[in-house]
Amino acid sequence: MAKSKILFECQSCGNQQRKWLGKCPECGSWDSFIELKAEQIKILKELEHANSKASEAICIDEVEIEKFSRISTQDDELDLVLGGGLVEGSLVLIGGSPGVGKSTLLLKIASNLANSGKKVLYVSAEESKTQIKLRANRLEANGSNLFLLTELCLENIIEELHKKDYSVLVIDSIQTLYSDKVSSAAGSITQVREITFELMRLSKAYNISIFIIGHITKDGAIAGPRVLEHMVDVVLYFEGDATKEIRLLRGFKNRFGNISEVGIFEMGPKGLISAKNLANRFFTRGRATSGSALGVVMEGSRALVLEIQALVCESAYPKRSATGYERNRLDMLLALLERKLEIPLGHYDVFVNVSGGVKIGETAADLAVVAAIISSFKNRPLSKDSVFIGELSLNGEIRDVFHLDIRLKEAKMQKFKNAIIPSKPLEDIGLRYFVAKELSQVLEWM
């Protein structure tokens, strides 16, 4: 009699081993391995077989480019992040922390699509129909083509899909569903893998666009196996503090477009709305105060003027903290200030914050960060009519940045007068420029 194979799976990342381990070698979680049952191992083999069908190679010159049909979600910011609209038959995963507005946004989008003539099925495994209806009334998100279903079982959802000719399906959320084919609990690695695979098959077979809401872990990643993000077509993350109005929707994967675009939303009485005129919400134009400098960063194709705040105070046990800015980059800039400008920050606390909940992912804000730190250290306010743009190298050189003209045009639109930059722009934008090649020149200007 053949000996049955034993398989253990990590419930944090989905790593599989032939024997039980106390610590997962993939994600480092302790006591996360559980033994899979025979039915679960059988499902895994079926999934592997479905994904390993042999195909014949053809010459790249013979490949015909497939044309994707897009539909507008009636929301400019979401269409921008999706690459121009929702692709029919695509599988879109949206993640974010609790209370950030994932369900609110998708209910509004479902209503928009329903009002444009698409049949939409909104499936909630966490709320009752009454709760969803109350929110829909508040958001003004009702429509005759929008259907609600409160269901936990995947098979029942599929049965409902076959009853009507639905074009869009919204799942809220993937971690709360379960399939009768899998005996493990809802939210387990095996359940999420099986359900996502089945939804992917449905989206391609019936040309249904599917939105999936995913919970995130304390580290900010989508809860569940990493294969979840690999299987879907688009991965979007909501960023922002649930206690503040501004939310950012950032793309991390998009098979139908680029991932450089960022959508900006504002949470109001009627839910999340596109922030079309919120370019001036990330900085203040009041009285000049020390420890505040303005910079211009690129978020996709759009330039944003941001306020960088810094607080430097003497301390016996110095601390370094950064919100919205990379901590390692901050340590490098502080070392640069001590070495090149001989500013003794070794006995000072340094705190840096980016207003509006934006996370800076580029180096063009280096000059603004340094200016805010020096301003706080010297207790010298900076002009609210000036913006700082430039990347700092380890030898104190201020380097050019990409899209300088676009950044300066945004500064001019926001009625700034001065710009401290590493080189003159190709065209005259109408600002007064102070060209600085070395960090010491900026200190002279201040």
Side-chain angles (χ1 to χ4, degrees), residues 317-351:
Y317 304 97
K319 293 182 233 157
R320 306 287 189 259
S321 177
T323 303
Y325 191 74
E326 186 181 355
R327 168 65 191 278
N328 292 335
R329 190 80 185 171
L330 174 61
D331 290 338
M332 187 204 78
L333 296 180
L334 295 178
L336 183 63
L337 289 175
E338 290 201 47
R339 181 64 181 248
K340 295 297 180 180
L341 300 185
E342 298 182 352
I343 298 178
L345 296 171
H347 300 288
Y348 288 82
D349 289 337
V350 179
F351 303 95

PDB file of all heavy atoms in Angstrom, residues 317-351:
ATOM      1  N   TYR A 317      19.485  61.763  24.937  1.00  0.00           N
ATOM      2  CA  TYR A 317      19.385  60.499  24.206  1.00  0.00           C
ATOM      3  C   TYR A 317      18.743  60.790  22.842  1.00  0.00           C
ATOM      4  O   TYR A 317      17.526  60.684  22.689  1.00  0.00           O
ATOM      5  CB  TYR A 317      18.556  59.479  24.986  1.00  0.00           C
ATOM      6  CG  TYR A 317      19.088  59.225  26.380  1.00  0.00           C
ATOM      7  CD1 TYR A 317      18.546  59.881  27.487  1.00  0.00           C
ATOM      8  CD2 TYR A 317      20.140  58.345  26.584  1.00  0.00           C
ATOM      9  CE1 TYR A 317      19.036  59.654  28.760  1.00  0.00           C
ATOM     10  CE2 TYR A 317      20.642  58.111  27.852  1.00  0.00           C
ATOM     11  CZ  TYR A 317      20.087  58.772  28.938  1.00  0.00           C
ATOM     12  OH  TYR A 317      20.584  58.549  30.186  1.00  0.00           O
ATOM     13  N   PRO A 318      19.551  61.174  21.860  1.00  0.00           N
ATOM     14  CA  PRO A 318      19.015  61.610  20.556  1.00  0.00           C
ATOM     15  C   PRO A 318      18.181  60.535  19.877  1.00  0.00           C
ATOM     16  O   PRO A 318      18.518  59.362  19.892  1.00  0.00           O
ATOM     17  CB  PRO A 318      20.280  61.928  19.744  1.00  0.00           C
ATOM     18  CG  PRO A 318      21.359  62.112  20.757  1.00  0.00           C
ATOM     19  CD  PRO A 318      21.010  61.230  21.908  1.00  0.00           C
ATOM     20  N   LYS A 319      17.086  60.989  19.273  1.00  0.00           N
ATOM     21  CA  LYS A 319      16.206  60.094  18.505  1.00  0.00           C
ATOM     22  C   LYS A 319      16.049  60.620  17.096  1.00  0.00           C
ATOM     23  O   LYS A 319      16.155  61.822  16.858  1.00  0.00           O
ATOM     24  CB  LYS A 319      14.820  60.021  19.168  1.00  0.00           C
ATOM     25  CG  LYS A 319      14.803  59.355  20.505  1.00  0.00           C
ATOM     26  CD  LYS A 319      13.387  59.292  21.026  1.00  0.00           C
ATOM     27  CE  LYS A 319      13.369  59.886  22.386  1.00  0.00           C
ATOM     28  NZ  LYS A 319      12.267  60.400  22.979  1.00  0.00           N
ATOM     29  N   ARG A 320      15.786  59.715  16.188  1.00  0.00           N
ATOM     30  CA  ARG A 320      15.521  60.060  14.798  1.00  0.00           C
ATOM     31  C   ARG A 320      14.192  59.431  14.403  1.00  0.00           C
ATOM     32  O   ARG A 320      13.982  58.237  14.575  1.00  0.00           O
ATOM     33  CB  ARG A 320      16.612  59.517  13.867  1.00  0.00           C
ATOM     34  CG  ARG A 320      18.024  59.937  14.272  1.00  0.00           C
ATOM     35  CD  ARG A 320      18.242  61.407  13.945  1.00  0.00           C
ATOM     36  NE  ARG A 320      19.632  61.798  14.122  1.00  0.00           N
ATOM     37  CZ  ARG A 320      20.087  62.451  15.175  1.00  0.00           C
ATOM     38  NH1 ARG A 320      19.265  62.762  16.163  1.00  0.00           N
ATOM     39  NH2 ARG A 320      21.350  62.823  15.243  1.00  0.00           N
ATOM     40  N   SER A 321      13.301  60.231  13.863  1.00  0.00           N
ATOM     41  CA  SER A 321      11.986  59.721  13.472  1.00  0.00           C
ATOM     42  C   SER A 321      11.539  60.413  12.187  1.00  0.00           C
ATOM     43  O   SER A 321      11.766  61.621  12.021  1.00  0.00           O
ATOM     44  CB  SER A 321      10.960  59.959  14.582  1.00  0.00           C
ATOM     45  OG  SER A 321       9.681  59.527  14.190  1.00  0.00           O
ATOM     46  N   ALA A 322      10.919  59.641  11.298  1.00  0.00           N
ATOM     47  CA  ALA A 322      10.435  60.204  10.030  1.00  0.00           C
ATOM     48  C   ALA A 322       9.068  59.621   9.709  1.00  0.00           C
ATOM     49  O   ALA A 322       8.883  58.407   9.764  1.00  0.00           O
ATOM     50  CB  ALA A 322      11.414  59.907   8.899  1.00  0.00           C
ATOM     51  N   THR A 323       8.117  60.479   9.384  1.00  0.00           N
ATOM     52  CA  THR A 323       6.780  60.076   8.967  1.00  0.00           C
ATOM     53  C   THR A 323       6.562  60.528   7.530  1.00  0.00           C
ATOM     54  O   THR A 323       6.564  61.726   7.239  1.00  0.00           O
ATOM     55  CB  THR A 323       5.705  60.704   9.883  1.00  0.00           C
ATOM     56  OG1 THR A 323       5.954  60.333  11.233  1.00  0.00           O
ATOM     57  CG2 THR A 323       4.323  60.235   9.469  1.00  0.00           C
ATOM     58  N   GLY A 324       6.401  59.551   6.637  1.00  0.00           N
ATOM     59  CA  GLY A 324       6.230  59.875   5.235  1.00  0.00           C
ATOM     60  C   GLY A 324       7.527  60.039   4.475  1.00  0.00           C
ATOM     61  O   GLY A 324       7.518  60.363   3.281  1.00  0.00           O
ATOM     62  N   TYR A 325       8.655  59.813   5.147  1.00  0.00           N
ATOM     63  CA  TYR A 325       9.967  59.937   4.517  1.00  0.00           C
ATOM     64  C   TYR A 325      10.828  58.775   4.978  1.00  0.00           C
ATOM     65  O   TYR A 325      10.734  58.326   6.124  1.00  0.00           O
ATOM     66  CB  TYR A 325      10.609  61.271   4.909  1.00  0.00           C
ATOM     67  CG  TYR A 325      11.838  61.630   4.113  1.00  0.00           C
ATOM     68  CD1 TYR A 325      11.739  62.066   2.803  1.00  0.00           C
ATOM     69  CD2 TYR A 325      13.104  61.531   4.671  1.00  0.00           C
ATOM     70  CE1 TYR A 325      12.863  62.403   2.064  1.00  0.00           C
ATOM     71  CE2 TYR A 325      14.242  61.857   3.945  1.00  0.00           C
ATOM     72  CZ  TYR A 325      14.115  62.299   2.640  1.00  0.00           C
ATOM     73  OH  TYR A 325      15.228  62.616   1.911  1.00  0.00           O
ATOM     74  N   GLU A 326      11.694  58.287   4.092  1.00  0.00           N
ATOM     75  CA  GLU A 326      12.493  57.107   4.409  1.00  0.00           C
ATOM     76  C   GLU A 326      13.499  57.408   5.509  1.00  0.00           C
ATOM     77  O   GLU A 326      14.273  58.370   5.420  1.00  0.00           O
ATOM     78  CB  GLU A 326      13.232  56.625   3.149  1.00  0.00           C
ATOM     79  CG  GLU A 326      13.969  55.320   3.351  1.00  0.00           C
ATOM     80  CD  GLU A 326      14.706  54.879   2.105  1.00  0.00           C
ATOM     81  OE1 GLU A 326      14.547  55.553   1.064  1.00  0.00           O
ATOM     82  OE2 GLU A 326      15.436  53.888   2.179  1.00  0.00           O
ATOM     83  N   ARG A 327      13.490  56.564   6.542  1.00  0.00           N
ATOM     84  CA  ARG A 327      14.356  56.797   7.700  1.00  0.00           C
ATOM     85  C   ARG A 327      15.838  56.693   7.334  1.00  0.00           C
ATOM     86  O   ARG A 327      16.663  57.500   7.796  1.00  0.00           O
ATOM     87  CB  ARG A 327      14.005  55.770   8.789  1.00  0.00           C
ATOM     88  CG  ARG A 327      14.988  55.684   9.940  1.00  0.00           C
ATOM     89  CD  ARG A 327      15.058  56.960  10.761  1.00  0.00           C
ATOM     90  NE  ARG A 327      16.178  56.914  11.657  1.00  0.00           N
ATOM     91  CZ  ARG A 327      16.178  56.292  12.829  1.00  0.00           C
ATOM     92  NH1 ARG A 327      15.091  55.648  13.244  1.00  0.00           N
ATOM     93  NH2 ARG A 327      17.248  56.306  13.609  1.00  0.00           N
ATOM     94  N   ASN A 328      16.212  55.723   6.510  1.00  0.00           N
ATOM     95  CA  ASN A 328      17.613  55.588   6.121  1.00  0.00           C
ATOM     96  C   ASN A 328      18.096  56.811   5.342  1.00  0.00           C
ATOM     97  O   ASN A 328      19.247  57.240   5.488  1.00  0.00           O
ATOM     98  CB  ASN A 328      17.809  54.329   5.278  1.00  0.00           C
ATOM     99  CG  ASN A 328      17.598  53.062   6.069  1.00  0.00           C
ATOM    100  OD1 ASN A 328      17.748  53.051   7.293  1.00  0.00           O
ATOM    101  ND2 ASN A 328      17.251  51.980   5.398  1.00  0.00           N
ATOM    102  N   ARG A 329      17.216  57.353   4.517  1.00  0.00           N
ATOM    103  CA  ARG A 329      17.577  58.557   3.767  1.00  0.00           C
ATOM    104  C   ARG A 329      17.775  59.736   4.719  1.00  0.00           C
ATOM    105  O   ARG A 329      18.679  60.566   4.523  1.00  0.00           O
ATOM    106  CB  ARG A 329      16.463  58.866   2.775  1.00  0.00           C
ATOM    107  CG  ARG A 329      16.792  59.942   1.754  1.00  0.00           C
ATOM    108  CD  ARG A 329      17.625  59.399   0.643  1.00  0.00           C
ATOM    109  NE  ARG A 329      18.058  60.429  -0.303  1.00  0.00           N
ATOM    110  CZ  ARG A 329      18.938  60.210  -1.256  1.00  0.00           C
ATOM    111  NH1 ARG A 329      19.482  59.017  -1.400  1.00  0.00           N
ATOM    112  NH2 ARG A 329      19.305  61.180  -2.076  1.00  0.00           N
ATOM    113  N   LEU A 330      16.961  59.816   5.750  1.00  0.00           N
ATOM    114  CA  LEU A 330      17.094  60.888   6.743  1.00  0.00           C
ATOM    115  C   LEU A 330      18.427  60.784   7.469  1.00  0.00           C
ATOM    116  O   LEU A 330      19.117  61.793   7.678  1.00  0.00           O
ATOM    117  CB  LEU A 330      15.934  60.829   7.737  1.00  0.00           C
ATOM    118  CG  LEU A 330      16.005  61.790   8.926  1.00  0.00           C
ATOM    119  CD1 LEU A 330      16.017  63.235   8.438  1.00  0.00           C
ATOM    120  CD2 LEU A 330      14.847  61.560   9.883  1.00  0.00           C
ATOM    121  N   ASP A 331      18.821  59.572   7.868  1.00  0.00           N
ATOM    122  CA  ASP A 331      20.107  59.386   8.549  1.00  0.00           C
ATOM    123  C   ASP A 331      21.260  59.840   7.660  1.00  0.00           C
ATOM    124  O   ASP A 331      22.238  60.443   8.136  1.00  0.00           O
ATOM    125  CB  ASP A 331      20.287  57.916   8.927  1.00  0.00           C
ATOM    126  CG  ASP A 331      19.340  57.488  10.035  1.00  0.00           C
ATOM    127  OD1 ASP A 331      18.863  58.367  10.773  1.00  0.00           O
ATOM    128  OD2 ASP A 331      19.055  56.279  10.149  1.00  0.00           O
ATOM    129  N   MET A 332      21.172  59.566   6.368  1.00  0.00           N
ATOM    130  CA  MET A 332      22.223  59.972   5.439  1.00  0.00           C
ATOM    131  C   MET A 332      22.309  61.495   5.351  1.00  0.00           C
ATOM    132  O   MET A 332      23.408  62.076   5.357  1.00  0.00           O
ATOM    133  CB  MET A 332      21.949  59.383   4.063  1.00  0.00           C
ATOM    134  CG  MET A 332      23.050  59.604   3.060  1.00  0.00           C
ATOM    135  SD  MET A 332      22.476  59.537   1.348  1.00  0.00           S
ATOM    136  CE  MET A 332      21.724  61.153   1.180  1.00  0.00           C
ATOM    137  N   LEU A 333      21.165  62.164   5.275  1.00  0.00           N
ATOM    138  CA  LEU A 333      21.160  63.618   5.179  1.00  0.00           C
ATOM    139  C   LEU A 333      21.695  64.268   6.450  1.00  0.00           C
ATOM    140  O   LEU A 333      22.405  65.289   6.389  1.00  0.00           O
ATOM    141  CB  LEU A 333      19.738  64.118   4.893  1.00  0.00           C
ATOM    142  CG  LEU A 333      19.131  63.700   3.548  1.00  0.00           C
ATOM    143  CD1 LEU A 333      17.723  64.267   3.405  1.00  0.00           C
ATOM    144  CD2 LEU A 333      19.999  64.167   2.384  1.00  0.00           C
ATOM    145  N   LEU A 334      21.383  63.685   7.600  1.00  0.00           N
ATOM    146  CA  LEU A 334      21.899  64.227   8.867  1.00  0.00           C
ATOM    147  C   LEU A 334      23.409  64.091   8.945  1.00  0.00           C
ATOM    148  O   LEU A 334      24.112  65.005   9.406  1.00  0.00           O
ATOM    149  CB  LEU A 334      21.226  63.519  10.047  1.00  0.00           C
ATOM    150  CG  LEU A 334      19.716  63.751  10.196  1.00  0.00           C
ATOM    151  CD1 LEU A 334      19.163  62.959  11.366  1.00  0.00           C
ATOM    152  CD2 LEU A 334      19.407  65.227  10.355  1.00  0.00           C
ATOM    153  N   ALA A 335      23.921  62.945   8.498  1.00  0.00           N
ATOM    154  CA  ALA A 335      25.375  62.759   8.471  1.00  0.00           C
ATOM    155  C   ALA A 335      26.021  63.749   7.505  1.00  0.00           C
ATOM    156  O   ALA A 335      27.118  64.276   7.773  1.00  0.00           O
ATOM    157  CB  ALA A 335      25.703  61.319   8.064  1.00  0.00           C
ATOM    158  N   LEU A 336      25.356  64.027   6.390  1.00  0.00           N
ATOM    159  CA  LEU A 336      25.866  64.985   5.418  1.00  0.00           C
ATOM    160  C   LEU A 336      25.922  66.392   6.008  1.00  0.00           C
ATOM    161  O   LEU A 336      26.887  67.135   5.791  1.00  0.00           O
ATOM    162  CB  LEU A 336      24.975  64.957   4.175  1.00  0.00           C
ATOM    163  CG  LEU A 336      25.375  65.848   3.001  1.00  0.00           C
ATOM    164  CD1 LEU A 336      26.721  65.413   2.444  1.00  0.00           C
ATOM    165  CD2 LEU A 336      24.312  65.815   1.911  1.00  0.00           C
ATOM    166  N   LEU A 337      24.907  66.773   6.772  1.00  0.00           N
ATOM    167  CA  LEU A 337      24.890  68.091   7.410  1.00  0.00           C
ATOM    168  C   LEU A 337      26.019  68.231   8.425  1.00  0.00           C
ATOM    169  O   LEU A 337      26.639  69.304   8.530  1.00  0.00           O
ATOM    170  CB  LEU A 337      23.536  68.327   8.077  1.00  0.00           C
ATOM    171  CG  LEU A 337      22.334  68.555   7.155  1.00  0.00           C
ATOM    172  CD1 LEU A 337      21.047  68.649   7.956  1.00  0.00           C
ATOM    173  CD2 LEU A 337      22.530  69.817   6.327  1.00  0.00           C
ATOM    174  N   GLU A 338      26.278  67.182   9.167  1.00  0.00           N
ATOM    175  CA  GLU A 338      27.358  67.241  10.163  1.00  0.00           C
ATOM    176  C   GLU A 338      28.718  67.321   9.495  1.00  0.00           C
ATOM    177  O   GLU A 338      29.607  68.041   9.947  1.00  0.00           O
ATOM    178  CB  GLU A 338      27.280  66.016  11.075  1.00  0.00           C
ATOM    179  CG  GLU A 338      26.088  66.021  12.013  1.00  0.00           C
ATOM    180  CD  GLU A 338      26.282  65.111  13.215  1.00  0.00           C
ATOM    181  OE1 GLU A 338      27.348  65.165  13.848  1.00  0.00           O
ATOM    182  OE2 GLU A 338      25.361  64.335  13.493  1.00  0.00           O
ATOM    183  N   ARG A 339      28.898  66.584   8.406  1.00  0.00           N
ATOM    184  CA  ARG A 339      30.205  66.526   7.753  1.00  0.00           C
ATOM    185  C   ARG A 339      30.490  67.758   6.902  1.00  0.00           C
ATOM    186  O   ARG A 339      31.590  68.335   6.969  1.00  0.00           O
ATOM    187  CB  ARG A 339      30.275  65.272   6.891  1.00  0.00           C
ATOM    188  CG  ARG A 339      31.586  65.062   6.174  1.00  0.00           C
ATOM    189  CD  ARG A 339      32.722  64.859   7.155  1.00  0.00           C
ATOM    190  NE  ARG A 339      33.985  64.679   6.460  1.00  0.00           N
ATOM    191  CZ  ARG A 339      34.661  63.551   6.437  1.00  0.00           C
ATOM    192  NH1 ARG A 339      34.181  62.492   7.068  1.00  0.00           N
ATOM    193  NH2 ARG A 339      35.823  63.478   5.814  1.00  0.00           N
ATOM    194  N   LYS A 340      29.534  68.184   6.084  1.00  0.00           N
ATOM    195  CA  LYS A 340      29.772  69.261   5.134  1.00  0.00           C
ATOM    196  C   LYS A 340      29.522  70.652   5.710  1.00  0.00           C
ATOM    197  O   LYS A 340      30.224  71.601   5.381  1.00  0.00           O
ATOM    198  CB  LYS A 340      28.906  69.054   3.885  1.00  0.00           C
ATOM    199  CG  LYS A 340      29.245  67.804   3.079  1.00  0.00           C
ATOM    200  CD  LYS A 340      30.665  67.888   2.536  1.00  0.00           C
ATOM    201  CE  LYS A 340      31.018  66.654   1.723  1.00  0.00           C
ATOM    202  NZ  LYS A 340      32.400  66.732   1.184  1.00  0.00           N
ATOM    203  N   LEU A 341      28.491  70.785   6.544  1.00  0.00           N
ATOM    204  CA  LEU A 341      28.148  72.102   7.088  1.00  0.00           C
ATOM    205  C   LEU A 341      28.524  72.244   8.551  1.00  0.00           C
ATOM    206  O   LEU A 341      28.304  73.304   9.147  1.00  0.00           O
ATOM    207  CB  LEU A 341      26.646  72.368   6.912  1.00  0.00           C
ATOM    208  CG  LEU A 341      26.114  72.364   5.471  1.00  0.00           C
ATOM    209  CD1 LEU A 341      24.649  72.757   5.457  1.00  0.00           C
ATOM    210  CD2 LEU A 341      26.922  73.303   4.593  1.00  0.00           C
ATOM    211  N   GLU A 342      29.065  71.171   9.137  1.00  0.00           N
ATOM    212  CA  GLU A 342      29.518  71.177  10.543  1.00  0.00           C
ATOM    213  C   GLU A 342      28.400  71.600  11.491  1.00  0.00           C
ATOM    214  O   GLU A 342      28.607  72.346  12.442  1.00  0.00           O
ATOM    215  CB  GLU A 342      30.732  72.090  10.704  1.00  0.00           C
ATOM    216  CG  GLU A 342      31.936  71.629   9.890  1.00  0.00           C
ATOM    217  CD  GLU A 342      33.147  72.522  10.098  1.00  0.00           C
ATOM    218  OE1 GLU A 342      32.999  73.577  10.763  1.00  0.00           O
ATOM    219  OE2 GLU A 342      34.230  72.166   9.610  1.00  0.00           O
ATOM    220  N   ILE A 343      27.195  71.115  11.208  1.00  0.00           N
ATOM    221  CA  ILE A 343      26.061  71.355  12.107  1.00  0.00           C
ATOM    222  C   ILE A 343      26.022  70.206  13.110  1.00  0.00           C
ATOM    223  O   ILE A 343      25.795  69.051  12.727  1.00  0.00           O
ATOM    224  CB  ILE A 343      24.744  71.437  11.328  1.00  0.00           C
ATOM    225  CG1 ILE A 343      24.784  72.610  10.343  1.00  0.00           C
ATOM    226  CG2 ILE A 343      23.563  71.574  12.272  1.00  0.00           C
ATOM    227  CD1 ILE A 343      23.544  72.756   9.499  1.00  0.00           C
ATOM    228  N   PRO A 344      26.225  70.462  14.392  1.00  0.00           N
ATOM    229  CA  PRO A 344      26.345  69.384  15.401  1.00  0.00           C
ATOM    230  C   PRO A 344      24.995  68.804  15.794  1.00  0.00           C
ATOM    231  O   PRO A 344      24.387  69.207  16.799  1.00  0.00           O
ATOM    232  CB  PRO A 344      27.020  70.095  16.573  1.00  0.00           C
ATOM    233  CG  PRO A 344      26.562  71.507  16.465  1.00  0.00           C
ATOM    234  CD  PRO A 344      26.401  71.799  14.998  1.00  0.00           C
ATOM    235  N   LEU A 345      24.514  67.848  15.019  1.00  0.00           N
ATOM    236  CA  LEU A 345      23.209  67.249  15.302  1.00  0.00           C
ATOM    237  C   LEU A 345      23.311  65.978  16.133  1.00  0.00           C
ATOM    238  O   LEU A 345      22.297  65.322  16.381  1.00  0.00           O
ATOM    239  CB  LEU A 345      22.492  66.936  13.986  1.00  0.00           C
ATOM    240  CG  LEU A 345      22.139  68.148  13.110  1.00  0.00           C
ATOM    241  CD1 LEU A 345      21.630  67.696  11.752  1.00  0.00           C
ATOM    242  CD2 LEU A 345      21.117  69.023  13.808  1.00  0.00           C
ATOM    243  N   GLY A 346      24.532  65.601  16.550  1.00  0.00           N
ATOM    244  CA  GLY A 346      24.716  64.353  17.296  1.00  0.00           C
ATOM    245  C   GLY A 346      24.039  64.337  18.651  1.00  0.00           C
ATOM    246  O   GLY A 346      23.752  63.269  19.192  1.00  0.00           O
ATOM    247  N   HIS A 347      23.750  65.519  19.213  1.00  0.00           N
ATOM    248  CA  HIS A 347      23.102  65.600  20.526  1.00  0.00           C
ATOM    249  C   HIS A 347      21.704  66.204  20.426  1.00  0.00           C
ATOM    250  O   HIS A 347      21.212  66.798  21.384  1.00  0.00           O
ATOM    251  CB  HIS A 347      23.966  66.433  21.485  1.00  0.00           C
ATOM    252  CG  HIS A 347      25.337  65.873  21.707  1.00  0.00           C
ATOM    253  ND1 HIS A 347      25.559  64.734  22.451  1.00  0.00           N
ATOM    254  CD2 HIS A 347      26.545  66.284  21.248  1.00  0.00           C
ATOM    255  CE1 HIS A 347      26.855  64.470  22.464  1.00  0.00           C
ATOM    256  NE2 HIS A 347      27.477  65.394  21.737  1.00  0.00           N
ATOM    257  N   TYR A 348      21.078  66.019  19.258  1.00  0.00           N
ATOM    258  CA  TYR A 348      19.754  66.595  19.052  1.00  0.00           C
ATOM    259  C   TYR A 348      18.780  65.531  18.553  1.00  0.00           C
ATOM    260  O   TYR A 348      19.156  64.655  17.762  1.00  0.00           O
ATOM    261  CB  TYR A 348      19.815  67.733  18.022  1.00  0.00           C
ATOM    262  CG  TYR A 348      20.482  68.989  18.517  1.00  0.00           C
ATOM    263  CD1 TYR A 348      21.871  69.100  18.520  1.00  0.00           C
ATOM    264  CD2 TYR A 348      19.728  70.061  18.990  1.00  0.00           C
ATOM    265  CE1 TYR A 348      22.492  70.258  18.975  1.00  0.00           C
ATOM    266  CE2 TYR A 348      20.334  71.216  19.441  1.00  0.00           C
ATOM    267  CZ  TYR A 348      21.719  71.312  19.439  1.00  0.00           C
ATOM    268  OH  TYR A 348      22.319  72.449  19.889  1.00  0.00           O
ATOM    269  N   ASP A 349      17.540  65.634  19.025  1.00  0.00           N
ATOM    270  CA  ASP A 349      16.457  64.856  18.429  1.00  0.00           C
ATOM    271  C   ASP A 349      16.091  65.487  17.089  1.00  0.00           C
ATOM    272  O   ASP A 349      16.050  66.723  16.973  1.00  0.00           O
ATOM    273  CB  ASP A 349      15.204  64.858  19.319  1.00  0.00           C
ATOM    274  CG  ASP A 349      15.378  64.043  20.584  1.00  0.00           C
ATOM    275  OD1 ASP A 349      16.238  63.152  20.589  1.00  0.00           O
ATOM    276  OD2 ASP A 349      14.653  64.305  21.554  1.00  0.00           O
ATOM    277  N   VAL A 350      15.820  64.641  16.090  1.00  0.00           N
ATOM    278  CA  VAL A 350      15.407  65.149  14.782  1.00  0.00           C
ATOM    279  C   VAL A 350      14.146  64.395  14.355  1.00  0.00           C
ATOM    280  O   VAL A 350      14.165  63.166  14.215  1.00  0.00           O
ATOM    281  CB  VAL A 350      16.504  64.978  13.715  1.00  0.00           C
ATOM    282  CG1 VAL A 350      16.005  65.507  12.376  1.00  0.00           C
ATOM    283  CG2 VAL A 350      17.779  65.694  14.131  1.00  0.00           C
ATOM    284  N   PHE A 351      13.060  65.143  14.167  1.00  0.00           N
ATOM    285  CA  PHE A 351      11.798  64.563  13.725  1.00  0.00           C
ATOM    286  C   PHE A 351      11.402  65.225  12.407  1.00  0.00           C
ATOM    287  O   PHE A 351      11.435  66.456  12.287  1.00  0.00           O
ATOM    288  CB  PHE A 351      10.692  64.783  14.756  1.00  0.00           C
ATOM    289  CG  PHE A 351      11.017  64.234  16.121  1.00  0.00           C
ATOM    290  CD1 PHE A 351      11.558  65.056  17.102  1.00  0.00           C
ATOM    291  CD2 PHE A 351      10.799  62.907  16.406  1.00  0.00           C
ATOM    292  CE1 PHE A 351      11.864  64.554  18.355  1.00  0.00           C
ATOM    293  CE2 PHE A 351      11.103  62.393  17.653  1.00  0.00           C
ATOM    294  CZ  PHE A 351      11.640  63.217  18.630  1.00  0.00           C
TER     295      PHE A 351
END
